[in-house]
Amino acid sequence: MIAGRLLVVTAVEAEAAAVRAGLREPTVTVTPVGVGPAAAAAGTARLLALAEGAGQPYAAVVCAGIAGGFTDRVEVGGTVLADRSIAADLGAESPDGFIPLDELGFGETVAPVHPPLLATLRRALPAAAVGAVLTVGTVTGSAESAKALAVRHPDAVAEAMEGYGVACAAAGAGVPFAELRTVSNPIGPRDRAAWRMREAFDALTAAAATLA
């Protein structure tokens, strides 16, 4: 259980509804902020600023929702906790492969998770897979791209589209950040028959019960 006023942001209302269904305390605000890192950063920053301006700042912010999973590292329907959020496609292409932004010298692509907040979530969700969660602007849709991501990020457990943006907003406001995901599909070729949305939403509701 996380102490203090908690902000949980999701990409879409369906994810927010799944989180709300698991909550037992009114001290948690759950709000969808949009799909993708830019919308997530802008929406989260606004919510944090409004709360601070009202004299009721949040104690922490959690980015929550469903995600694609590296299925040799986490099963479909499983729960994931980020130990860091990585902007996996922020950088440049080159003849020798992808160059991350930090290697170009223009900034950071890795956003750390608040260690005490992660520790609290790990105690509450001991079965969750823990590792890097990748933030992408374009969902991976081929076996070749999935393999390249897995090689570049050997401890990554999932990919989604908002975590890094939420982390940047949280860092700017000085608010602890964490990312919680449940896996709806394998990363790779788009195979709707392999998607397990209901299982992922049910797992998200179950995980949300540990937040408050």
Side-chain angles (χ1 to χ4, degrees):
M1 183 176 293
I2 298 171
R5 293 186 72 235
L6 175 64
L7 174 63
V8 178
V9 296
T10 67
V12 297
E13 177 57 32
E15 293 168 318
V19 172
R20 293 188 196 106
L23 295 174
R24 295 168 292 186
E25 296 290 338
T27 56
V28 181
T29 300
V30 186
T31 305
V33 290
V35 176
T44 303
R46 179 177 181 274
L47 292 169
L48 294 174
L50 287 172
E52 183 176 359
Q56 296 180 315
Y58 289 105
V61 57
V62 175
C63 179
I66 62 175
F70 291 95
T71 50
D72 57 336
R73 304 170 189 175
V74 58
E75 64 183 11
V76 173
T79 299
V80 165
L81 294 171
D83 61 9
R84 61 202 189 283
S85 295
I86 300 177
D89 55 7
L90 187 59
E93 291 185 338
S94 80
D96 298 320
F98 179 78
I99 305 173
L101 187 72
D102 41 6
E103 291 185 18
L104 293 169
F106 296 136
E108 297 292 331
T109 58
V110 179
V113 168
H114 188 64
L117 185 52
L118 175 59
T120 297
L121 290 171
R122 292 187 73 167
R123 287 192 296 270
L125 297 165
V130 180
V133 174
L134 309 181
T135 298
V136 295
T138 301
V139 173
T140 302
S142 70
E144 181 181 359
S145 295
K147 181 178 179 180
L149 273 182
V151 169
R152 291 210 316 267
H153 304 283
D155 71 333
V157 288
E159 76 166 19
M161 302 182 76
E162 293 80 31
Y164 182 81
V166 175
C168 289
V175 176
F177 159 80
E179 185 169 5
L180 164 67
R181 297 282 178 179
T182 55
V183 175
S184 59
N185 58 278
I187 294 172
R190 291 175 60 81
D191 177 10
R192 285 184 175 271
W195 292 4
R196 298 292 181 267
M197 303 292 286
R198 187 66 268 160
E199 289 91 331
F201 283 128
D202 287 347
L204 189 58
T205 296
T210 69
L211 297 176

